[in-house]
Amino acid sequence: MKAHDGMYIGGAWRPAVGTDTITVLNPADEQPVGQVPAGTAQDIDAAVRAAREAFPAWAATPPAERGALIGALRDQLVARKDEIAETVTAELGSPLPFSEMVHAGVPILVSGSYAELAATYSFEEKIGNSTVYMEPVGVVGAITPWNYPLHQIVNKVAPALAAGCTVVLKPAEDTPLTAQLFAEAAHDAGIPAGVFNLVTGLGPVAGQALAEHEGVDLVSFTGSTAVGKQIGATAGAAVKRVALELGGKSANVILPSADLTKAVKAGVANVMSNSGQTCSAWTRMLVDSARYDEAVSLAAEAAAKYGSRIGPVVNAKQQARVRGYIDKGVEEGARVVAGGSEAPREQGYFVQPTVFADVTPEMTIAQEEIFGPVVSIIRYEDEDDALRIANGTVYGLAGAVWAADDAEAIAFARRMDTGQVDINGGSFNPLAPFGGYKQSGVGRELGPHGLAEYLQTKSLQF
Ligand code: NAP
Ligand code: MG
């Protein structure tokens, strides 16, 4: 696997200030696939300076021109799609077809959407005797996780560039090679020097230095709620804009009128894809008492089919963490009907696709984000009970509702405390705002709402 031994700062690959490195492992076989520099506060400082310097000219570039460059970036991602998929498979472990379709495919859609939005968005508005200008916030510090390595980067960088902001990215330590590929794509697309900068490194070192840097105007973070709270506090103290995309514990609500087989199968597939490492995964399946046992056997059967098709989780720590949650579920009285905590292979960080029945809403596995291939099936008595359970966590990122007709599902979805709901298996929309209610976060990504995060208003009165 190709790896750069420098940082992409000010339009060039520059040697890192320090000598520490990060070794990237393939979670499927635990073998090293590359090595990147571990950045320090000094690397971050150099990158933020480059971004500051590039900001005035980029902010003044007509939006349609910014859009054309984002379109060129999209084309570079298209040209590299096989390399991107292979790289994500090597450092995240996801099966190659999934890497091709989702990890490489979705960022192409999203960058394409911002190429168009930059050119068509209204950066000016008339309100009464005022003209309101939407202006870029400034320098963005983007901190991303490993679960969708390129998607998480593009979700931040594409709208930031469309808005006229410049960016310093600190990607996850587990998946820096994909981030380096993105930097290459940005370079070859002709994104001007300093508009996009990359510093690889560790969260508590490079990530923290970026979040704390006084030259950063907006911090956009995706990852764990624990780190998100810290970043929110740091940004708050400095009166900086902040966007937090944190964890989830989404409910898949199967109403009594729904097609049970379809809903259960889709629910299991949703959790198992990417080995359960999706913040919006529907990890709690809610089924009415009358059809509970039927749902449990359907889910167990569906999960068993994933057996050898599922990829590993990202690293040894996550594997131990997920297996620990499975043990905890058993301890608290839930019943394993598929999978279990035993590691299915000697090598690689694999976890068995696991389904729990007899899960009660207050159990740890029904409350905390597991981030692994684990589904909990919870019984409800009536609709109000289902709603209470669905809303009964600190999270509110996503969810699903299934019913005989959309109207019934919509009525339920409107009562859910969550930012995104799929109705009867509705498909992914790269323009729909994505983000959390409650502790799932602050702010939205994707589409015009995602673009608005990087803008601030200036009103002129006449
Ligand atoms: P994390 O630590 O929150 O990592 C997210 C990003 O923040 C990474 O780039 C990380 O760097 C960085 N970071 C860590 N500590 C930081 C600090 N003090 N200041 C600034 N940046 C910091 O998440 P994780 O450890 O990879 O995963 C832990 C759990 O987070 C998962 O089990 C899951 O529950 C949740 N998670 C959620 C999402 C989501 O999309 N909502 C994504 C991934 C994980 P390093 O890579 O060096 O740690
Ligand atoms: Mg971490």
Side-chain angles (χ1 to χ4, degrees), residues 22 143-148 152 170-175 201-211 221-228 230-231 245-248 277-280 314-315 317-318 321-322 369-371 395 397 434 440:
I22 294 169
I143 302 174
T144 55
W146 41 263
N147 63 336
Y148 288 87
Q152 306 283 20
K170 202 304 278 179
E173 67 187 77
D174 290 296
T175 56
L202 303 180
V205 183
Q208 196 166 327
L210 181 57
F221 169 84
T222 300
S224 62
T225 299
V227 176
Q230 221 175 302
I231 287 183
E245 210 274 87
L246 309 177
Q277 304 168 118
T278 305
C279 42
S280 56
V314 71
N315 57 35
K317 191 174 149 206
Q318 283 296 116
R321 192 183 129 106
V322 176
E369 185 173 50
I370 299 175
F371 235 60
Y395 295 115
L397 188 56
F434 181 83
S440 285

Side-chain angles (χ1 to χ4, degrees), residues 21-376:
T21 58
I22 294 169
T23 299
V24 184
L25 295 183
N26 183 333
D29 61 12
E30 305 176 32
Q31 297 305 304
V33 293
Q35 209 173 45
V36 301
T40 59
Q42 285 165 288
D43 297 299
I44 290 289
D45 187 55
V48 173
R49 281 167 195 277
R52 274 248 82 87
E53 210 172 297
F55 176 65
W58 184 246
T61 302
E65 252 176 70
R66 296 199 298 256
L69 282 162
I70 298 168
L73 171 59
R74 176 207 168 270
D75 295 345
Q76 290 295 327
L77 297 179
V78 172
R80 286 173 171 76
K81 67 180 181 356
D82 293 340
E83 199 182 351
I84 289 167
E86 283 158 22
T87 304
V88 174
T89 289
E91 59 184 1
L92 179 67
S94 55
L96 192 60
F98 189 78
S99 295
E100 287 167 342
M101 199 173 68
V102 176
H103 291 300
V106 175
I108 290 169
L109 280 180
V110 173
S111 51
S113 76
Y114 280 112
E116 203 178 310
L117 270 167
T120 56
Y121 193 83
S122 245
F123 290 93
E124 206 181 303
E125 187 188 11
K126 289 251 187 287
I127 301 179
N129 62 315
S130 302
T131 300
V132 181
Y133 295 94
M134 314 316 158
E135 298 188 341
V137 172
V139 173
V140 172
I143 302 174
T144 55
W146 41 263
N147 63 336
Y148 288 87
L150 186 58
H151 179 60
Q152 306 283 20
I153 291 171
V154 170
N155 275 1
K156 299 189 189 305
V157 178
L161 299 195
C165 292
T166 58
V167 179
V168 175
L169 167 69
K170 202 304 278 179
E173 67 187 77
D174 290 296
T175 56
L177 299 176
T178 306
Q180 290 191 337
L181 269 181
F182 177 80
E184 280 183 14
H187 185 85
D188 290 351
I191 303 289
V195 169
F196 169 76
N197 307 275
L198 169 69
V199 175
T200 51
L202 303 180
V205 183
Q208 196 166 327
L210 181 57
E212 287 173 350
H213 201 292
E214 57 182 24
V216 169
D217 302 298
L218 184 160
V219 183
S220 179
F221 169 84
T222 300
S224 62
T225 299
V227 176
K229 283 179 178 170
Q230 221 175 302
I231 287 183
T234 304
V239 200
K240 266 180 207 175
R241 292 269 292 259
V242 67
L244 304 172
E245 210 274 87
L246 309 177
K249 194 71 197 174
S250 299
N252 177 20
V253 183
I254 307 175
L255 292 174
S257 64
D259 178 336
L260 187 70
T261 308
K262 193 172 160 196
V264 170
K265 281 189 176 162
V268 171
N270 173 284
V271 176
M272 298 310 161
S273 83
N274 214 38
S275 302
Q277 304 168 118
T278 305
C279 42
S280 56
W282 310 332
T283 49
R284 297 179 298 149
M285 186 184 288
L286 275 53
V287 184
D288 63 284
S289 286
R291 300 197 292 176
Y292 189 81
D293 293 338
E294 193 187 348
V296 168
S297 38
L298 284 166
E301 202 180 303
K305 282 199 192 135
Y306 276 86
S308 55
R309 276 193 291 142
I310 200 163
V313 295
V314 71
N315 57 35
K317 191 174 149 206
Q318 283 296 116
Q319 185 195 35
R321 192 183 129 106
V322 176
R323 292 176 62 196
Y325 271 116
I326 298 175
D327 288 336
K328 186 93 181 163
V330 173
E331 259 169 57
E332 293 185 3
R335 177 164 56 100
V336 173
V337 295
S341 76
E342 206 173 304
R345 302 191 203 181
E346 296 232 316
Q347 212 184 24
Y349 309 124
F350 289 87
V351 176
Q352 296 184 57
T354 297
V355 176
F356 273 110
D358 301 340
V359 179
T360 57
E362 65 285 352
M363 284 182 185
T364 306
I365 55 168
Q367 288 292 325
E368 294 182 14
E369 185 173 50
I370 299 175
F371 235 60
V374 183
V375 186
S376 294

Side-chain angles (χ1 to χ4, degrees), residues 398-439:
V401 182
W402 303 80
D405 60 80
D406 282 358
E408 190 190 346
I410 293 166
F412 190 94
R414 292 296 305 266
R415 298 166 73 199
M416 290 169 79
D417 300 332
T418 195
Q420 196 168 75
V421 184
D422 292 353
I423 301 295
N424 285 320
S427 52
F428 174 70
N429 175 1
L431 292 174
F434 181 83
Y437 279 33
K438 303 192 288 187
Q439 287 189 29

